[in-house]
Amino acid sequence: MAAMAAALRGVGGRFRWWTPAVAGGVRGAAQGAVAGQRDYDLLVIGGGSGGLACAKEAAQLGRKVAVVDYVEPSPRGTRWGLGGTCVNVGCIPKKLMHQAALLGGLIRDAPHYGWEVAQPVPHDWRKMAEAVQNHVKSLNWGHRVQLHDRKVKYFNVKAGFVDEHTVRGVAKGGKEILLSADHIVIATGGRPRYPAHIEGALEYGITSDDIFWLKESPGKTLVVGASYVALECAGFLTGIGLDTTVMMRSIPLRGFDQQMSSLVTEHMASHGTRFLRGCTPSQVRRLPDGQLQVTWEDRTTGKEGTGTFNTVLWAVGRAPDTRSLNLEKAGVDTSPNTQKILVDSREATSVPHIYAIGDVVEGRPELTPTAVMAGRLLAQRLFGGSSDLMDYDKVSSLAGRRLQPGEAESEASSSGVPTTVFTPLEYGCVGLSEEEAVSRHGQERVEVYHAHYKPLEFTVPGRDASQCYVKMVCLREPPQLVLGLHFLGPNAGEVTQGFALGIKCGASYVQVMQTVGIHPTCSEEIVKLRISKRSGLDPTVTGC
Amino acid sequence: RGPMAAALRGVGRRFRWWNAGRGGRGGRRGARPGQRDYDLLVIGGGSGGLACAKEAAQLGRKVAVVDYVEPSPRGTRWGLGGTCVNVGCIPKKLMHQAALLGGLIRDAPHYGWEVAQPVLHDWRKMAEAVQNHVKSLNWGHRVQLHDRKVKYFNVKAGFVDEHTVRGVAKGGKEILLSADHIVIATGGRPRYPAHIEGALEYGITTGAADVALECAGFLTGIGLDTTVMMRSIPLRGFDQQMSSLVTEHMASHGTRFLRGCTPSQVRRLPDGQLQVTWEDRTTGKEGTGTFNTVLWAVGRAPDTRSLNLEKAGVDTSPNTQKILVDSREATSVPHIYAIGDVVEGRPELTPTAVMAGRLLAQRLFGGSSDLMDYDKVPTTVFTPLEYGCVGLSEEEAVSRHGQERVEVYHAHYKPLEFTVPGRDASQCYVKMVCLREPPQLVLGLHFLGPNAGEVTQGFALGIKCGASYVQVMQTVGIHPTCSEEIVKLRISKRSG
């Protein structure tokens, strides 16, 4: 073991071995190492968006920091580098594949704008995937370099608590290391769930952990689920020309505004994505030719259906990555329902010097920017003398609510935190959904302004703009405080961001109307919203 | 005159002939209130005029719009809707989109699309599509006026007296229209540099300096050899650091720049090409070059000459010939108003004209007292890399508040979509100009990158609501977007 320790010391710098026996995890009592003698001021478990932001901020404040990160391969064997979900199997590859799909539509537009492109243009999955994967790998490397530059120690080990100040790391080859720290931040995020009860699901299906790393085209694909992950994946698969079906048990984008969600799926359906609504899969079998035969129950008719696909992608929710952490050794409490970690407004767990941020935490939006901001603010409070709390805004009122598995994504949509679903027609939102506004304030106290608009760029190629729609949910009483904004159209993320600032600053409908538009854009439709639903007038925008 | 009037009456409904001799400010009037043809007469069917007319009609008033497009020196004419619809924002943005598609087509193979390169561009096809769209908008405006029972006369208007306007139709037919309130919204037209030999004869035009760069940008983008000649700095009045980045980006994408040069002559060569001679003001040397087209974008002049404003007593600026108005958009004649590009000191932007026109109608006929707020108007220049801004430029902030009281946060960023095709993002840049004193009120925002217009709009609301740097930092980003770079701005210029 001495040799092993020496070897690891070469990579990982100074650390100490502790006998697990000293631990015991009695909260606030015996500690594995005495303060001032511990290896690090801060140990971050999980090298994703939140963990890295927290670690880097702490290092910048002059503290001694370590990050441990380890990617357990997916059931299909997919693995990746430093950076967490967003960089490797989330936002980044998703948005790039979304961009690839958008380009498909723009190539079809191009001849209308005078470009002599011979149609149809075929798509090569391998070329796209390689380019996307290369970019992700460059980001993995970038994160390594950033940690190194800021003198943050990085250990590629799987972490589990030994006691409330000590973590055991196990490297790929089984080598072990003990790390102690005054403060520990858990930021291990989550992983996609498999519907373990469905025969063949685990054996033949893949998840979003795999789709972006496939070397070969997934071919004809069945996406199971109604989450934003399901719709985004189905959207870009359809967009690059693959035969794609979405199977959902009930409503799409639960927790998001339901009128907007319906428009999202309506747009997808009109652009070639097939939908099997009210259906639940019961079995996946591999046929002799290698195709996957899926059997499902149509819950409306009670009948059974079957279909064959090349790929079955489960997008039925995510589970927190807490199982292997041995949280009980440290005394960190989790929610019995979700297994997510319980924290207070300072991100502290039931153990005062152990914190948790990001997707692994109960009641937080599963979004990169919130994790980043939470991590940074936490480091500033711990080491920078700050007292600024992360403002989850209206999320806090939801934090106490018990969430159903897979429901977590809905929180963002009903909070002050802006987000965007990168479906083929993008959906950006901030603040309350119409339903939520009505349920909180009552129908009579809510005014909804809305418009169907046509992006200028859609006119020349004759694109259908039936689902380009914007609505603003306001209090009815003057000056009509803006409660929520919902935008469906091109570049929804770009459009929504600034309005999130406006709403944060307490914008009223009156102030929105006083804001001069930028012409010709889609975002100006928001400051031109003059028709309320209550008026019953036609909300179709004409002219300019 | 009888049959002529009858003929027009068929189209134009009831009106009266008035004796032109009775004008004179504030004194005698051509018609008494209640006897005039219209509650509101709008001269000019552009963005501002149409918005004002439609709003007034919606408030139940009797409204007429007169509009007439004097053909350009090259004979170009167009329909109802004004500059924006016909020769401004709309065709420009569509041709900008065409140019952007050129770049996206070059990106496409990196994203797996098997497009054979290079892809050629057909101007005629693009132009026809754009023009067809514009014509559909002309028609749409006609229909909207009709639906709202606003009378439309395709006549050239000139004041007879302060309540009466004479309209002259294409064939020379005349009509007199009287109204209680008159709004002048005739906009402007591009200037020709009349002193340059051959300028008027061989050149064509577009708008001001920002339009020069926009046009050069999309022409380059669709594959044409394009040169911009400028006497001094680009985008005067805009933040100069941003303006430099805009031209730097254009230059790196193939637009040629002749800086510090002024043209002196345009000649047509025997082969039909245009030979342009210019003076390089730095070296004092003369230069020449041949082009197929010379496009003047040296500014715009207000369309006030033929209005006979003196007959109504409406004052204009002696320097600019633009109409002088107060905060209620009223001219020197209380019941005559002016909105849009024809007005002295107003931003030459469609949305400000629209909002001003609408608010004016609401004040006149809707019992409102809301004034148009011309402060912190956002705008976007649709150069190949778009430049969106709202509020003060860095120079202006420093000159108003002093270097020591201003903090500028900035970032060079790389749009995610640029990574896969390996696009250069050297000019993708954002800066926020704030007061230095906490909570650091945001004075101005400047964004250079894709979809700058879409990005900037919402921040304009935030800044209108008095956003501080602290509040911007508390705003959660939307990942991955370019606009999130704004809420992630942590580096100040002062920090180095």
Side-chain angles (χ1 to χ4, degrees):
Chain A
M1 254 207 164
M4 188 195 303
L8 274 170
R9 192 175 293 129
V11 189
R14 187 176 65 88
F15 49 81
R16 240 169 266 110
W17 295 102
W18 296 102
T19 45
V22 186
V26 183
R27 188 192 308 181
Q31 297 179 165
V34 185
Q37 297 185 345
R38 296 188 192 107
D39 302 330
Y40 296 98
D41 296 321
L42 176 67
L43 172 66
V44 176
I45 307 175
S49 311
L52 292 175
C54 185
K56 288 189 285 185
E57 188 76 15
Q60 208 147 20
L61 291 166
R63 295 314 177 111
K64 202 171 156 199
V65 183
V67 170
V68 299
D69 186 62
Y70 188 84
V71 179
E72 191 71 41
S74 78
R76 282 285 286 257
T78 309
R79 58 178 77 225
W80 50 86
L82 184 63
T85 300
C86 170
V87 165
N88 292 283
V89 289
C91 328
I92 299 296
K94 178 244 338 245
K95 181 95 190 279
L96 288 173
M97 292 195 179
H98 169 63
Q99 174 71 2
L102 291 182
L103 285 174
L106 293 170
I107 289 169
R108 285 188 297 278
D109 285 355
H112 298 275
Y113 281 96
W115 294 102
E116 297 174 341
V117 186
Q119 309 278 342
V121 177
H123 186 263
D124 178 350
W125 171 278
R126 277 194 286 188
K127 188 151 185 210
M128 172 189 73
E130 195 187 327
V132 170
Q133 289 157 18
N134 282 341
H135 177 63
V136 169
K137 285 173 190 166
S138 77
L139 293 178
N140 296 150
W141 178 245
H143 282 304
R144 291 286 293 267
V145 170
Q146 279 183 41
L147 290 185
H148 182 263
D149 287 352
R150 303 196 187 194
K151 302 193 170 41
V152 175
K153 280 289 157 203
Y154 164 64
F155 299 94
N156 185 203
V157 296
K158 193 178 169 85
F161 279 93
V162 172
D163 63 39
E164 62 178 28
H165 278 288
T166 314
V167 163
R168 173 185 292 115
V170 182
K172 208 171 165 187
K175 292 176 187 174
E176 293 197 359
I177 182 178
L178 283 185
L179 300 165
S180 64
D182 292 344
H183 302 275
I184 299 177
V185 172
I186 305 169
T188 50
R191 296 291 289 269
R193 283 178 204 279
Y194 270 88
H197 61 286
I198 298 172
E199 188 190 328
L202 187 66
E203 203 171 348
Y204 303 120
I206 66 170
T207 68
S208 59
D209 276 359
D210 308 295
I211 185 80
F212 306 110
W213 293 91
L214 294 179
K215 300 286 183 217
E216 301 293 333
S217 169
K220 184 183 177 187
T221 302
L222 174 68
V223 178
V224 182
S227 61
Y228 75 86
V229 178
L231 297 185
E232 287 176 338
C233 288
F236 75 70
L237 292 172
T238 305
I240 59 171
L242 300 178
D243 183 337
T244 310
T245 303
V246 176
M247 183 181 294
M248 34 190 211
R249 194 180 47 194
S250 60
I251 57 168
L253 298 176
R254 183 182 298 278
F256 286 90
D257 186 282
Q258 280 303 299
Q259 182 193 11
M260 303 306 289
S261 304
S262 297
L263 288 169
V264 166
T265 51
E266 184 183 302
H267 176 268
M268 288 177 68
S270 74
H271 283 70
T273 307
R274 299 165 204 269
F275 282 88
L276 291 168
R277 288 164 182 272
C279 295
T280 48
S282 48
Q283 192 194 48
V284 181
R285 290 199 310 132
R286 189 190 284 278
L287 299 177
D289 65 358
Q291 288 207 307
L292 302 176
Q293 186 182 60
V294 180
T295 309
W296 63 82
E297 187 198 350
D298 184 325
R299 288 151 66 106
T300 322
T301 64
K303 284 185 185 155
E304 200 176 85
T306 62
T308 57
F309 303 89
N310 300 110
T311 300
V312 176
L313 175 71
W314 304 106
V316 295
R318 299 176 65 83
D321 217 356
T322 50
R323 286 157 306 164
S324 56
L325 285 172
N326 297 328
L327 291 175
E328 66 291 350
K329 291 264 176 74
V332 172
D333 290 345
T334 57
S335 155
N337 292 309
T338 63
Q339 276 72 58
K340 289 191 173 187
I341 296 173
L342 301 169
V343 300
D344 63 17
S345 62
R346 298 171 304 116
E347 326 291 1
T349 67
S350 50
V351 185
H353 67 272
I354 301 181
Y355 304 84
I357 55 173
D359 295 6
V360 78
V361 180
E362 175 76 7
R364 298 290 194 233
E366 297 188 352
L367 295 170
T368 289
T370 51
V372 168
M373 195 181 277
R376 188 175 283 157
L377 289 173
L378 173 58
Q380 288 167 0
R381 288 197 302 274
L382 289 177
F383 307 117
S386 157
S387 59
D388 291 349
L389 294 177
M390 172 69 190
D391 180 9
Y392 293 97
D393 216 351
K394 293 156 191 154
V395 180
S396 54
S397 64
L398 279 170
R401 186 165 68 94
R402 190 162 293 164
L403 291 160
Q404 299 306 305
E407 201 191 341
E409 68 183 37
S410 68
E411 287 158 20
S413 65
S414 54
S415 74
V417 176
T419 191
T420 292
V421 182
F422 291 100
T423 36
L425 200 63
E426 300 176 8
Y427 167 35
C429 60
V430 53
L432 301 186
S433 66
E434 186 174 347
E435 299 87 342
E436 184 67 22
V438 166
S439 101
R440 287 195 197 180
H441 300 282
Q443 187 81 52
E444 277 310 300
R445 294 193 57 220
V446 171
E447 192 81 288
V448 178
Y449 294 92
H450 65 154
H452 280 284
Y453 68 97
K454 184 161 197 162
L456 177 62
E457 293 73 15
F458 279 29
T459 58
V460 161
R463 282 202 193 202
D464 177 30
S466 305
Q467 291 87 23
C468 291
Y469 179 74
V470 52
K471 75 175 173 184
M472 190 157 59
V473 182
C474 306
L475 282 179
R476 195 173 174 192
E477 187 186 0
Q480 303 193 289
L481 191 75
V482 179
L483 301 174
L485 176 68
H486 303 268
F487 178 92
L488 192 54
N491 301 302
E494 308 296 358
V495 170
T496 307
Q497 181 72 77
F499 287 96
L501 169 65
I503 291 173
K504 179 142 217 122
C505 296
S508 66
Y509 174 71
V510 170
Q511 285 171 312
V512 174
M513 287 305 102
Q514 285 168 352
T515 303
V516 176
I518 299 178
H519 189 61
T521 61
C522 294
S523 55
E524 70 174 321
E525 302 298 341
I526 296 170
V527 301
K528 286 160 61 186
L529 281 171
R530 303 181 83 211
I531 307 290
S532 71
K533 283 196 173 179
R534 185 169 274 113
S535 74
L537 296 172
D538 178 8
T540 305
V541 173
T542 54
C544 67
Chain B
R1 265 198 169 176
M4 189 193 303
L8 274 169
R9 194 176 290 129
V11 188
R13 211 192 140 171
R14 186 176 64 89
F15 48 83
R16 241 168 265 113
W17 294 104
W18 294 103
N19 190 321
R22 283 198 268 161
R25 185 193 312 181
R28 289 168 301 145
R29 291 169 171 182
R32 265 174 261 141
Q35 297 186 342
R36 299 192 189 105
D37 301 330
Y38 297 98
D39 296 321
L40 175 67
L41 172 65
V42 176
I43 307 175
S47 312
L50 292 174
C52 185
K54 289 188 286 185
E55 188 76 15
Q58 208 148 18
L59 291 166
R61 295 313 176 110
K62 200 171 156 198
V63 183
V65 170
V66 299
D67 186 62
Y68 187 84
V69 179
E70 192 70 41
S72 78
R74 283 286 287 257
T76 310
R77 58 179 77 226
W78 51 87
L80 183 64
T83 300
C84 170
V85 166
N86 292 283
V87 291
C89 328
I90 300 297
K92 167 196 76 182
K93 181 98 190 276
L94 289 173
M95 293 195 182
H96 169 65
Q97 175 71 2
L100 291 182
L101 286 174
L104 293 169
I105 289 168
R106 285 188 296 278
D107 285 356
H110 298 276
Y111 281 97
W113 294 102
E114 297 172 343
V115 186
Q117 309 280 341
V119 176
L120 300 179
H121 188 264
D122 179 348
W123 173 277
R124 279 194 286 189
K125 190 156 185 203
M126 172 190 73
E128 194 186 328
V130 170
Q131 290 155 17
N132 283 341
H133 178 63
V134 169
K135 285 173 190 164
S136 78
L137 293 178
N138 297 149
W139 178 247
H141 282 304
R142 292 287 293 266
V143 171
Q144 279 183 41
L145 290 185
H146 183 264
D147 287 351
R148 302 195 189 193
K149 303 195 170 38
V150 176
K151 278 291 156 203
Y152 164 64
F153 299 95
N154 184 202
V155 295
K156 192 177 170 84
F159 279 93
V160 172
D161 63 37
E162 63 178 28
H163 277 288
T164 315
V165 163
R166 173 185 291 116
V168 182
K170 209 173 165 187
K173 292 178 189 174
E174 294 198 358
I175 184 177
L176 282 186
L177 301 165
S178 65
D180 292 343
H181 302 275
I182 298 176
V183 172
I184 305 169
T186 49
R189 294 290 287 272
R191 284 180 206 279
Y192 270 89
H195 60 287
I196 298 171
E197 189 189 328
L200 187 66
E201 204 170 347
Y202 304 120
I204 62 172
T205 61
T206 181
D210 51 336
V211 189
L213 295 186
E214 290 173 336
C215 288
F218 75 69
L219 292 171
T220 306
I222 60 171
L224 301 178
D225 184 335
T226 309
T227 303
V228 176
M229 183 181 295
M230 37 189 208
R231 195 180 46 192
S232 59
I233 55 168
L235 297 178
R236 185 180 298 278
F238 286 89
D239 185 283
Q240 281 303 302
Q241 183 193 10
M242 304 305 288
S243 303
S244 297
L245 288 169
V246 166
T247 52
E248 182 182 306
H249 177 268
M250 289 177 68
S252 74
H253 283 69
T255 307
R256 297 166 207 266
F257 282 88
L258 291 168
R259 287 163 183 271
C261 296
T262 49
S264 48
Q265 193 193 46
V266 181
R267 290 200 309 133
R268 188 188 286 280
L269 299 177
D271 65 357
Q273 288 207 306
L274 301 176
Q275 186 183 58
V276 180
T277 310
W278 63 82
E279 188 198 348
D280 185 324
R281 290 151 66 106
T282 321
T283 64
K285 285 186 185 154
E286 201 177 83
T288 63
T290 57
F291 303 90
N292 300 111
T293 300
V294 176
L295 176 66
W296 303 106
V298 294
R300 299 174 63 84
D303 218 354
T304 49
R305 286 158 307 162
S306 57
L307 285 173
N308 296 330
L309 291 175
E310 65 291 351
K311 290 264 175 75
V314 172
D315 291 345
T316 57
S317 155
N319 292 311
T320 62
Q321 278 73 56
K322 290 191 172 185
I323 296 173
L324 301 169
V325 302
D326 63 16
S327 63
R328 299 171 303 115
E329 326 291 1
T331 67
S332 49
V333 185
H335 67 271
I336 302 180
Y337 303 84
I339 55 171
D341 295 7
V342 80
V343 181
E344 175 76 8
R346 298 292 193 227
E348 297 188 353
L349 296 170
T350 290
T352 52
V354 167
M355 195 182 276
R358 187 175 282 155
L359 290 172
L360 173 58
Q362 288 168 359
R363 288 195 302 273
L364 289 178
F365 307 117
S368 159
S369 58
D370 292 348
L371 295 176
M372 172 70 192
D373 178 4
Y374 288 97
D375 194 32
K376 291 172 188 149
V377 171
T379 191
T380 292
V381 183
F382 291 101
T383 36
L385 200 63
E386 300 176 9
Y387 167 35
C389 61
V390 53
L392 301 185
S393 66
E394 186 175 348
E395 297 88 344
E396 184 66 23
V398 166
S399 99
R400 284 197 201 178
H401 300 282
Q403 187 80 54
E404 277 312 300
R405 295 193 57 219
V406 171
E407 192 82 288
V408 178
Y409 294 91
H410 66 156
H412 280 283
Y413 68 98
K414 185 162 196 161
L416 178 62
E417 293 73 13
F418 279 28
T419 57
V420 161
R423 282 203 193 201
D424 177 29
S426 304
Q427 291 87 22
C428 291
Y429 179 74
V430 53
K431 76 174 172 184
M432 190 158 59
V433 181
C434 306
L435 280 180
R436 196 172 174 192
E437 188 186 1
Q440 304 192 289
L441 191 76
V442 180
L443 302 173
L445 177 68
H446 304 268
F447 178 92
L448 191 54
N451 302 302
E454 308 297 357
V455 170
T456 308
Q457 182 71 78
F459 288 96
L461 170 65
I463 291 174
K464 182 140 214 122
C465 296
S468 66
Y469 174 71
V470 170
Q471 285 170 313
V472 174
M473 289 306 102
Q474 284 169 352
T475 303
V476 175
I478 299 179
H479 189 61
T481 62
C482 293
S483 55
E484 71 173 323
E485 301 299 339
I486 297 171
V487 302
K488 285 161 62 185
L489 281 171
R490 304 181 82 212
I491 306 291
S492 72
K493 283 195 173 179
R494 185 169 274 115
S495 74

